[in-house]
Amino acid sequence: CPSGPALLFVKTSQGEEEGRRFYACSACRDRRDCNFFQWEDEKVSETRLAAREEYNRNHQPSFTHRQNVERYYNLRLLSINIQDCLLVVDTGSSLCNPHQFLSDISTAQLKSPSQLLHPLENKKTNAQYLFAERSCQFLLDLITDLGFRRVLSVGTPRLHEMIQSKASQEEDFRVRSLLLDIDFRYSQFYTEDEFCHYNMFNHYFFGGEAAHETCRKFLYQDNGESVIMVTDPPFGGLVEALASSFKKLMAMWKETEKEGHNNQEMPMFWIFPYFFESRILEFFPSFSMMDYQVDYDNHALYKHGKTGRRQSPVRIFTNLTPSKIVLPVEEGYRFCAVCQRYVSSGNQHCEICNSCTSKDGRQWKHCVLCNKCVKPSWFHCNNCNCCALQNHTCEKSDAGCFVCGKAGHKRSTCPSLSHT
C-alpha cells in the first residue's frame, strides 16, 4: 500500500482456535485512512494488481526528496508562504487553495520545521506529538553527557531539529543526527544525508536502497562508536511490529567492523508509556524503564508538573546501565543506592520487594496477599484474589481468554494460537 509492505494479522472469533490471516496497512489502523486488505490465501487478479499499483503511484508525494531540497534553497531568498499540509510554495501559487497558509516566514522559522508545520494528530495513523522544550533539552543534555556524538532520530523530529540548530550555531558542538520519519514534509527542510522517509512499523525506506545506504553509512561512522538510537513511536502502534523494525536497525549497526559488537546492542532510548513495560521487556529483556516523565507541547494530558493520575505516563526505556541515566534533582528525582538508579520523589523503596516499585510517580503500597506493590487507589479483593479499584466489577474477572474461553491468560498469549 502507499505506506510500504503490509503486515500480516489474524482475525479471530471467540471459541475459535485458529483465525483467518490477512494483510493490512502497517501504519494506519483505520480502514478509512488506508483501505488495503487482502486475505493471506486470496488470489489477486492481474487487473486488481494493476489498479493497486496505479493507486499507490497516485498517493506518492508530488516531488522527490532531492526536488524538495532544491526548491527549499531556491525559495529561502524569496518572500514565501508555507502551507500546513505539504508544500513550501512561492507567493501567489494556486496550489492547495483550500488549505491555510502562513506568510512572511523568516529564515529562522525555516530552521524549526516541527514548530512551523501543523502536527499530524490522527491517533490511528500519525499521532504526531512533539517533545516539549524541557524534555527535548533534557534528552540532548543526557546524550552529550553520556558521550554520544551521533543520534539516529527515529520519529523524533524535534530532537533532530534541536541538534541541527545547535550544530549550525555552535562550532564546538559535535553531535550529529539523522532523522527517520514517515512525515515526508520534512524532506523540504533536510538534505538526503539528514532525513530519510521511513516507516518504523515495517522497516521500510521509501527512498529505496539509496536511503537504506544513507542510514547504514551514518551507523558505520567511527566503526559504530558513539551512536545512540532515540525513538518516540505513536503510542497506539503495535509493539511487536516496532520491536521488529528496531531490531533490524540494531542488526544494521552490528554489521560494523568494530570488534565486540556481536555481544552488544546498539544503545537506545525508546520513549513510550509505562503501561507497555511488560510488552517492551518481552522483546528487549535487557531494557530498563527510567522514572523520567516525558512531556509534549501539543498533547492535552502529557504535561510536566501535573500531580496524581494526571502526570505524564511516558517514560524512557533503555538498554544503558540505569545508574548512568542521571535525572534532574531540581525536578525532584533522587538516587536510590539500593536500586542503583534515579527515581521520582514519590517512588519509595519497598523493603519486601527490594525495589522502587512505583510506575506512575505516586507512592505505591505493598499487598502481602498479592506479594507485590500496587497502586495506592487499589484494594485487595477476595473474590478476584487480587488488588483492584474499590468499585470494580468482580464479574469481569470471570471472563477468560477471548479465543479459548479459559481463565489465566489473555488472547495474545493463548496456547491455542499458532504464532508466526
Side-chain angles (χ1 to χ4, degrees), residues 10-21 401-406 409-419:
V10 60
K11 179 176 286 188
T12 59
S13 299
Q14 190 164 8
E16 290 185 2
E17 289 191 2
E18 293 186 10
R20 191 177 180 187
R21 304 202 296 184
C401 171
F402 180 76
V403 177
C404 66
K406 297 179 181 178
H409 63 270
K410 296 182 180 180
R411 186 198 69 80
S412 59
T413 57
C414 180
S416 300
L417 284 178
S418 56
H419 296 279

Side-chain angles (χ1 to χ4, degrees), residues 266-278:
M266 177 168 65
M268 180 177 171
F269 289 156
W270 181 343
I271 296 162
F272 226 49
Y274 69 81
F275 37 80
F276 283 101
E277 181 182 21
S278 61

Side-chain angles (χ1 to χ4, degrees), residues 168-310:
S168 64
Q169 296 174 12
E170 303 174 15
E171 291 185 4
D172 58 344
F173 186 77
R174 301 301 179 190
V175 181
R176 296 296 179 266
S177 174
L178 173 65
L179 176 63
L180 308 185
D181 202 285
I182 199 169
D183 189 350
F184 190 66
R185 296 180 300 173
Y186 287 109
S187 68
Q188 301 172 103
F189 303 91
Y190 301 121
T191 67
E192 292 160 300
D193 292 330
E194 299 168 338
F195 168 77
C196 293
H197 192 200
Y198 176 77
N199 183 349
M200 70 175 76
F201 290 103
N202 56 7
H203 187 59
Y204 181 66
F205 288 87
F206 292 86
E209 184 56 35
H212 192 274
E213 186 61 25
T214 296
C215 182
R216 192 198 310 274
K217 286 182 178 179
F218 183 81
L219 295 177
Y220 275 30
Q221 291 176 30
D222 300 326
N223 289 328
E225 290 291 335
S226 303
V227 62
I228 184 171
M229 178 166 68
V230 182
T231 182
D232 182 33
F235 300 152
L238 289 171
V239 174
E240 184 174 3
L242 292 168
S244 175
S245 295
F246 299 157
K247 285 183 177 181
K248 289 174 182 176
L249 289 171
M250 287 177 160
M252 193 185 303
W253 172 81
K254 268 191 177 183
E255 293 171 1
T256 59
E257 297 177 358
K258 179 68 177 178
E259 295 181 2
H261 278 183
N262 292 333
N263 299 320
Q264 295 180 11
E265 289 180 332
M266 177 168 65
M268 180 177 171
F269 289 156
W270 181 343
I271 296 162
F272 226 49
Y274 69 81
F275 37 80
F276 283 101
E277 181 182 21
S278 61
R279 290 291 287 158
I280 292 177
L281 296 184
E282 179 182 343
F283 297 102
F284 293 104
S286 62
F287 278 35
S288 302
M289 187 181 78
M290 303 296 99
D291 275 20
Y292 183 81
Q293 296 180 14
V294 180
D295 57 332
Y296 297 81
D297 268 347
N298 58 324
H299 197 290
L301 298 178
Y302 298 171
K303 300 286 187 182
H304 175 64
K306 295 191 175 183
T307 58
R309 296 181 64 187
R310 294 183 177 273

Side-chain angles (χ1 to χ4, degrees), residues 38 44-54:
Q38 180 182 316
V44 183
S45 67
E46 293 295 330
T47 303
R48 187 177 168 191
L49 279 175
R52 182 180 294 170
E53 291 176 1
E54 178 69 17

